[in-house]
Amino acid sequence: MEKIKITLKDGSVKEFPRGTTVMEIAESISSRLAKEAVGGEVNNKVVGLKYQVNEDADLSILKFEDEDGQDVFRHTSAHILAQAVLRLFPNTKLAIGPAIENGYYYDFDSEHRFTQEDLEKIEKEMERIAQENLDVERFELPRNEAIKYMEEKGEAYKVELIENLPEDAVISFYKQGEFVDLCAGPHLATTKPVKAFKLLSVAGAYWRGDEKNKMLQRIYGTSFPKQKQLEEYIHRMEEAKKRDHRKLGKELDLFSIQEEGPGFPFFHPKGMVIRNLLEDFWRKAHVKRGYEEVKTPIILNEQLWHTSGHWDHYKNNMYFTEIDETDFAVKPMNCPGAMLVYGRKMFSYRDFPIRMCELGLVHRHELSGALHGLMRVRCFTQDDAHIFMLPDQIKDEIKGVIDFVDYVYSIFGFKYHIELSTRPENSMGTDEEWALAINGLKEALEEKGLKYKINEGDGAFYGPKIDFHLEDCIGRTWQCGTIQLDFQMPQRFDLTYVGRDGEKHIPVMLHRVIFGSIERFIGILIEHFAGRFPVWLAPVQVKVLPIADKFMGYAEKVTEMLQDLDIRVELDDRNEKIGYKIREAQLEKVPYMIIVGEKEMESNTISVRSRDKGELGSQEIQPFIVGIQEEIQSKTL
């Protein structure tokens, strides 16, 4: 195999196989050289964080904007946090401190209870550590020496971690100034690049996540190379709090989660308006694209789940019951039911592709601590489709679904990125089948000219998948749509068709969702629009507000006119001042308010106020109706 020569600052040369990462290099060379490999010069190029060898045998710099780059940056930040805590609270014992999405945390065992004032002091000390520009040095110790080293420091949690490492594990430490931590790395070369810190909160956390162990204090934080990036992140966090779908869902009276049904959402009348609109849009879009809707039962015989493979791969997430002394399962997925629908009769190759769609209610057992409003529930409706096809139709069907997903997301103004997830460890099928399936997805994406990221080992147990991660208006991403290519399930259910040769063959199938879950998609929409739904999706599109009771008759006439045209309208007939009625309508985020008084009644006009544009002034009724109907019809954002 061709070797890559890596020249370090001291002039020495090391050789590694193509594809070697900096972590592998750091584990194989001395502590001083490891530091240079992570943050020095390689092939006369400055390396900021971490690098990998590309196809041309050159070394490419990994930047903070890269996911792995952020992990290294935040991991170093966690060490700076721990160092600052030890400087201010010397009797504190260290547990663990990993990088996490958008930040990091560190768990501490301290008799002192950390307060908000403490977090501010710790932040200032972290800034000093960064300014000290401390070199970050890696070194290794044999197991016995490593245990002794941590025992002498009084770090019992670190001793336990070392004792639980595999016998052949490399036991490495990272040192910055007076601070040393057990760590696999990698890290930045110095503390200097970490210029902007923010400690976010303190929470309790059991050691190793076990409630039988001691409760530790977990400090959460985030960090960035620039203060501006930190300020933008804090702004997004504050905006996310305002947009929390649980808060808005209550304020707008859309849904609730009741104590009697944890994880099982209740949709209120206004929430049902949104849900029905989404489902109606979904159905019409599917009819246009040649899908036929089916409905399969919620409870099916347990044996079915053995056949499908879900029993071996998913039983811990399923609910069970017994009927007539026979074991049944509540479905966690819709696909086995679709297999039974297909298997009801024999198809010919002329019938393909067969596109079945289903708004199927599924139930999955989620731990109570994982439940989160509509985003993580125990029952939800998947907008499933199962496409049965001939092998030579695979590429065109995948491309058709990609176009469909793009159309749906564009309606709501979502941008998205794509990931291709490959074979997981616990999977069904042969290497040949998986290679064929992965290549089919790749070719479809490449023919569409779409960029995608490989997500190794994250496919479904029966096949690889394309995942669509949509981006909301404050930059958060949500995995919703997916296309899964499956050679396994048709075989397991012995599904066949009569081919051109008159013989029986096994079809190929796609599993596909676009919304993903109706419930979760509604939660995303609430946060994306901050409850200010576009007119076509708003539960109430118009509020009619009479200034006084004597104008109620005219207000009722306007209300009936809009109702007759299927415009969702409410009449506020309360004996309240008009200013109060307007404020209430604004809090309800109604797109349009029609205010009627003596002037409007006498001239047969209306005074219109827009949620988004403010006062629109006096108008005749008919032009207003034409305008709002155009907004509804075109699904204007």
Side-chain angles (χ1 to χ4, degrees):
M1 178 184 289
E2 183 180 351
K3 298 288 185 179
I4 306 302
K5 292 184 178 181
I6 298 179
T7 305
L8 302 173
K9 275 186 175 178
D10 66 348
S12 63
V13 177
K14 295 286 181 179
E15 291 187 347
F16 296 90
R18 175 179 296 186
T20 304
T21 66
V22 72
M23 187 179 293
E24 293 167 333
I25 293 171
E27 290 175 350
S28 64
I29 57 182
S30 69
S31 60
R32 181 173 60 84
L33 296 182
K35 180 172 79 74
E36 303 296 354
V38 174
E41 293 177 5
V42 182
N43 284 2
N44 298 319
K45 294 181 180 180
V46 177
V47 177
L49 299 174
K50 181 181 174 185
Y51 61 83
Q52 60 186 20
V53 180
N54 65 22
E55 292 179 357
D56 299 323
D58 290 327
L59 296 173
S60 57
I61 297 173
L62 190 67
K63 301 177 182 178
F64 174 79
E65 289 71 24
D66 299 320
E67 185 177 346
D68 288 345
Q70 291 185 23
D71 283 348
V72 174
F73 191 92
R74 265 65 182 269
H75 199 169
T76 301
S77 303
H79 278 213
I80 295 173
L81 164 60
Q83 185 175 10
V85 168
L86 288 180
R87 284 185 179 183
L88 296 172
F89 307 95
N91 294 325
T92 301
K93 303 304 177 188
L94 305 178
I96 59 170
I100 57 175
E101 185 178 5
N102 295 320
Y104 53 90
Y105 69 79
Y106 213 111
D107 289 345
F108 300 102
D109 184 357
S110 175
E111 293 182 4
H112 178 82
R113 307 309 297 172
F114 296 121
T115 65
Q116 186 59 42
E117 289 182 357
D118 292 328
L119 296 189
E120 293 170 7
K121 293 176 185 176
I122 295 167
E123 275 183 23
K124 290 178 181 177
E125 190 61 37
M126 292 173 73
E127 290 171 6
R128 278 192 281 271
I129 292 169
Q131 291 167 4
E132 288 170 16
N133 193 20
L134 301 174
D135 286 344
V136 180
E137 302 174 6
R138 183 182 191 274
F139 64 91
E140 299 171 9
L141 290 175
R143 179 181 295 271
N144 291 339
E145 290 183 32
I147 291 173
K148 182 180 178 183
Y149 183 70
M150 282 290 124
E151 284 177 339
E152 290 174 352
K153 286 182 168 291
E155 296 290 0
Y157 296 102
K158 301 295 182 181
V159 171
E160 183 179 331
L161 289 172
I162 295 169
E163 289 174 340
N164 287 321
L165 288 172
E167 286 297 324
D168 59 350
V170 174
I171 302 173
S172 60
F173 298 82
Y174 280 81
K175 180 179 185 297
Q176 55 196 49
E178 81 286 358
F179 175 78
V180 178
D181 201 357
L182 172 73
C183 188
H187 283 274
L188 300 177
T190 77
T191 59
K192 187 176 181 180
V194 191
K195 300 186 188 306
F197 299 94
K198 181 64 179 177
L199 298 183
L200 302 171
S201 62
V202 182
Y206 292 109
W207 168 236
R208 295 198 151 184
D210 188 340
E211 62 184 12
K212 296 177 182 177
N213 291 332
K214 187 172 183 178
M215 174 72 79
L216 306 177
Q217 296 183 78
R218 175 172 294 179
I219 297 180
Y220 286 95
T222 190
S223 58
F224 295 87
K226 297 178 182 178
Q227 184 64 29
K228 182 181 178 182
Q229 292 171 303
L230 175 60
E231 291 170 357
E232 290 171 349
Y233 175 76
I234 292 172
H235 172 72
R236 288 196 303 272
M237 291 279 288
E238 291 172 350
E239 190 65 28
K241 286 181 183 178
K242 295 178 192 174
R243 293 167 178 266
D244 189 321
H245 76 285
R246 296 167 298 178
K247 171 178 172 287
L248 289 172
K250 183 177 182 180
E251 291 174 0
L252 301 177
D253 197 22
L254 302 177
F255 73 93
S256 61
I257 306 291
Q258 306 288 344
E259 290 182 8
E260 292 81 358
F264 301 97
F266 289 69
F267 277 86
H268 305 171
K270 289 181 180 177
M272 281 304 298
V273 171
I274 297 171
R275 185 184 182 113
N276 289 334
L277 286 166
L278 288 175
E279 292 186 3
D280 184 54
F281 164 69
W282 183 91
R283 285 191 168 96
K284 289 177 180 176
H286 279 74
V287 169
K288 288 181 181 178
R289 288 163 179 80
Y291 288 81
E292 295 179 303
E293 188 173 0
V294 300
K295 194 75 174 174
T296 61
I298 294 175
I299 299 175
L300 293 164
N301 187 291
E302 182 186 295
Q303 183 55 46
L304 177 75
W305 307 101
H306 288 278
T307 303
S308 68
H310 288 91
W311 184 266
D312 295 326
H313 298 85
Y314 216 78
K315 64 182 176 184
N316 292 334
N317 295 88
M318 296 170 66
Y319 296 109
F320 302 94
T321 188
E322 185 179 292
I323 303 172
D324 296 335
E325 300 182 355
T326 302
D327 292 326
F328 282 75
V330 181
K331 68 176 179 181
M333 296 179 184
N334 296 304
C335 35
M339 304 302 110
L340 298 181
V341 174
Y342 177 95
R344 74 192 188 277
K345 66 179 184 178
M346 180 59 66
F347 290 97
S348 161
Y349 71 92
R350 296 185 183 89
D351 298 314
F352 290 95
I354 297 169
R355 304 184 185 109
M356 295 182 191
C357 61
E358 177 177 14
L359 290 169
L361 180 64
V362 299
H363 290 70
R364 297 181 186 177
H365 176 62
E366 297 283 359
L367 297 175
S368 58
L371 300 174
H372 181 77
L374 296 177
M375 303 302 194
R376 197 72 177 266
V377 292
R378 287 172 169 157
C379 73
F380 55 93
T381 303
Q382 280 190 312
D383 66 316
D384 257 321
H386 298 92
I387 303 174
F388 300 90
M389 58 200 167
L390 306 175
D392 60 7
Q393 295 173 333
I394 291 175
K395 202 184 304 179
D396 286 340
E397 287 303 305
I398 294 171
K399 287 159 69 175
V401 174
I402 291 171
D403 289 340
F404 195 179
V405 172
D406 183 75
Y407 163 74
V408 171
Y409 289 170
S410 68
I411 292 292
F412 302 96
F414 287 124
K415 296 183 290 185
Y416 60 86
H417 75 268
I418 295 171
E419 294 184 7
L420 174 58
S421 298
T422 59
R423 185 175 190 174
E425 289 185 12
N426 188 14
S427 60
M428 302 186 303
T430 66
D431 291 342
E432 183 181 357
E433 288 168 336
W434 274 85
L436 187 61
I438 291 169
N439 287 334
L441 295 176
K442 279 184 178 179
E443 288 174 9
L445 287 169
E446 288 164 5
E447 286 190 15
K448 295 292 296 179
L450 296 171
K451 294 180 180 179
Y452 61 92
K453 171 187 173 184
I454 297 289
N455 191 1
E456 294 288 355
D458 200 39
F461 66 85
Y462 47 75
K465 59 178 181 170
I466 295 171
D467 288 328
F468 295 83
H469 297 257
L470 57 83
E471 180 181 326
D472 68 16
C473 67
I474 59 172
R476 298 171 300 179
T477 57
W478 309 87
Q479 194 273 304
C480 290
T482 187
I483 306 171
Q484 302 171 356
L485 184 53
D486 185 2
F487 288 87
Q488 307 306 319
M489 211 163 285
Q491 294 178 28
R492 294 177 75 93
F493 279 89
D494 195 25
L495 303 184
T496 58
Y497 67 92
V498 177
R500 292 182 178 87
D501 57 3
E503 300 294 326
K504 289 185 178 180
H505 301 271
I506 299 173
V508 182
M509 69 171 292
L510 288 177
H511 306 250
R512 184 240 72 190
V513 295
I514 299 178
F515 291 148
S517 150
I518 296 287
E519 290 78 2
R520 184 167 174 267
F521 198 76
I522 290 173
I524 293 168
L525 289 179
I526 293 170
E527 298 198 1
H528 179 60
F529 292 119
R532 300 163 69 93
F533 296 106
V535 177
W536 77 274
L537 206 51
V540 178
Q541 295 165 326
V542 180
K543 268 249 175 149
V544 178
L545 313 176
I547 292 175
D549 284 349
K550 60 182 177 179
F551 310 117
M552 194 65 68
Y554 182 61
E556 289 172 348
K557 176 185 173 184
V558 172
T559 302
E560 289 174 9
M561 192 180 301
L562 296 173
Q563 285 175 335
D564 290 343
L565 295 168
D566 292 328
I567 294 169
R568 294 186 294 279
V569 57
E570 284 186 356
L571 170 63
D572 189 341
D573 57 3
R574 295 174 298 170
N575 186 21
E576 298 283 357
K577 292 181 179 179
I578 190 63
Y580 179 80
K581 290 182 178 182
I582 290 172
R583 285 193 297 274
E584 288 277 292
Q586 288 173 329
L587 288 173
E588 293 172 15
K589 306 184 190 300
V590 177
Y592 289 104
M593 287 160 269
I594 291 178
I595 301 162
V596 295
E598 186 170 352
K599 176 185 172 184
E600 288 78 21
M601 186 171 66
E602 289 179 353
S603 60
N604 203 34
T605 60
I606 54 175
S607 180
V608 182
R609 183 183 181 94
S610 165
R611 176 192 63 193
D612 303 316
K613 299 177 182 178
E615 295 288 351
L616 300 181
S618 180
Q619 298 181 19
E620 293 184 1
I621 298 175
Q622 198 56 39
F624 170 78
I625 289 173
V626 171
I628 194 171
Q629 285 179 324
E630 287 178 356
E631 281 193 72
I632 295 167
Q633 184 66 30
S634 63
K635 295 182 172 56
T636 302
L637 292 173

